[in-house]
Amino acid sequence: MPTAPHIALDSAAPTAIDGRHIRALTFQSVRMEYLRRVLGELGLAAAGSRALVVGSGRGLPARGLAQLGLETVAADPSPAATALALDTDGGLGVTYLTTPAEELSLPDHSFDLVYCADTLEITERPDAVLREAARVLRIGGAFVYDTVNRTPVSRLLYLGAFQTVPGTRIMPRGRYAAHRLRRPVELAESLDRAGLSAKDVSAFKPRDVRGLVRAIRGRRRGTLTDDQLPELVDMVLAPGGRPVVTYLGYAVRRA
């Protein structure tokens, strides 16, 4: 009987399935597409601007922002993720910190943009995360995020397929819970309480869900590598659609 794959987040082990890293790889293209759009809408020039990525993991979104020309800081609560990010920086000059999203060890009003990844759907303290993001943002700065909606389909995927079902599991059990998945309207209310004015919500999804299933099964069987997954999953923005599972959004820091 085949041995079940070893699932471990922020692991450098070649045999480990790191669902967090798989998620970052497959989300990277839509994250960067959306970030470029927000920068353009706000007229925020990359050169001379400072960005913070909260929940940066192995540093993919932070390196993407650095490649656009922003001075970038990457923050993550996991020392293992920070170590992996440092090993793969490639000389881009990103500053990597190990610090929780709920208590950032960073000065007030020190960033033009904060990107929040892999955080809002797992934290028990979303208001604390948003208050800290608002605190470190300059007035008029952008808070950009992606997260998971709370719908029957998202529960099926995130609470079932990704962390419970044996054939498709890529996350540790308990990584996600229904009460930590937040609807856009709920998140907008939390943003407002933190002094952040919501401006946009944009759904994103696999172009064909069958590609997502093939990618996960292939990675679990060992017939696909992490680097092969983004092309197979092929995430696309769906700005006019209702977020059935995942969505991006941004808000602006009020005075």
Side-chain angles (χ1 to χ4, degrees):
M1 180 178 291
T3 304
H6 175 54
I7 294 171
L9 302 187
D10 308 325
S11 173
T15 57
I17 291 181
D18 180 356
R20 188 180 183 206
H21 185 52
I22 289 171
R23 200 166 177 267
L25 284 166
T26 56
F27 283 15
Q28 180 71 357
S29 62
V30 289
R31 283 172 168 170
M32 295 311 302
E33 181 181 350
Y34 191 76
L35 279 162
R36 286 190 291 268
R37 193 185 104 190
V38 172
L39 289 171
E41 286 183 6
L42 297 180
L44 184 60
S49 295
R50 299 191 75 227
L52 168 68
V53 179
V54 176
S56 187
R58 301 190 190 194
L60 272 174
R63 290 194 292 277
L65 284 168
Q67 288 168 341
L68 291 180
L70 289 89
E71 180 186 343
T72 307
V73 175
D76 197 89
S78 165
T82 303
L84 288 167
L86 282 164
D87 286 344
T88 53
D89 179 67
L92 287 170
V94 175
T95 299
Y96 297 96
L97 304 174
T98 301
T99 185
E102 297 85 353
E103 298 175 24
L104 297 171
S105 53
L106 292 162
D108 294 355
H109 312 304
S110 51
F111 294 96
D112 303 286
L113 182 146
V114 172
Y115 190 94
C116 188
D118 198 28
T119 299
L120 292 171
E121 61 273 14
I122 62 172
T123 183
E124 293 284 357
R125 300 167 57 204
D127 284 350
V129 171
L130 298 176
R131 281 195 304 270
E132 279 293 270
R135 180 183 65 78
V136 301
L137 267 175
R138 293 169 181 154
I139 303 302
F143 175 75
V144 188
Y145 62 89
D146 62 74
T147 193
V148 183
N149 199 357
R150 188 172 69 255
T151 68
V153 177
S154 70
R155 290 179 181 180
L156 181 67
L157 285 174
Y158 274 80
L159 309 186
F162 292 161
Q163 66 179 18
T164 305
V165 177
T168 55
R169 192 164 78 89
I170 57 172
M171 292 286 187
R173 288 179 174 85
R175 173 75 171 173
Y176 303 106
H179 70 277
R180 296 197 296 265
L181 309 183
R182 295 172 175 99
R183 298 185 180 117
V185 66
E186 296 168 344
L187 191 51
E189 292 168 356
S190 296
L191 289 164
D192 187 63
R193 288 194 296 271
L196 298 161
S197 297
K199 297 297 182 183
D200 180 65
V201 168
S202 180
F204 68 101
K205 60 184 180 180
R207 191 178 298 278
D208 185 334
V209 72
R210 292 172 294 183
L212 173 63
V213 174
R214 287 195 295 270
I216 291 174
R217 288 180 173 172
R219 182 63 186 87
R220 283 180 55 89
R221 288 194 300 262
T223 57
L224 294 172
T225 66
D226 286 346
D227 290 339
Q228 291 175 297
L229 303 185
E231 184 177 359
L232 188 56
V233 175
D234 192 17
M235 286 288 185
V236 293
L237 288 173
R242 175 178 173 267
V244 176
V245 180
T246 46
Y247 62 101
L248 291 126
Y250 82 92
V252 172
R253 175 72 161 89
R254 298 196 299 268

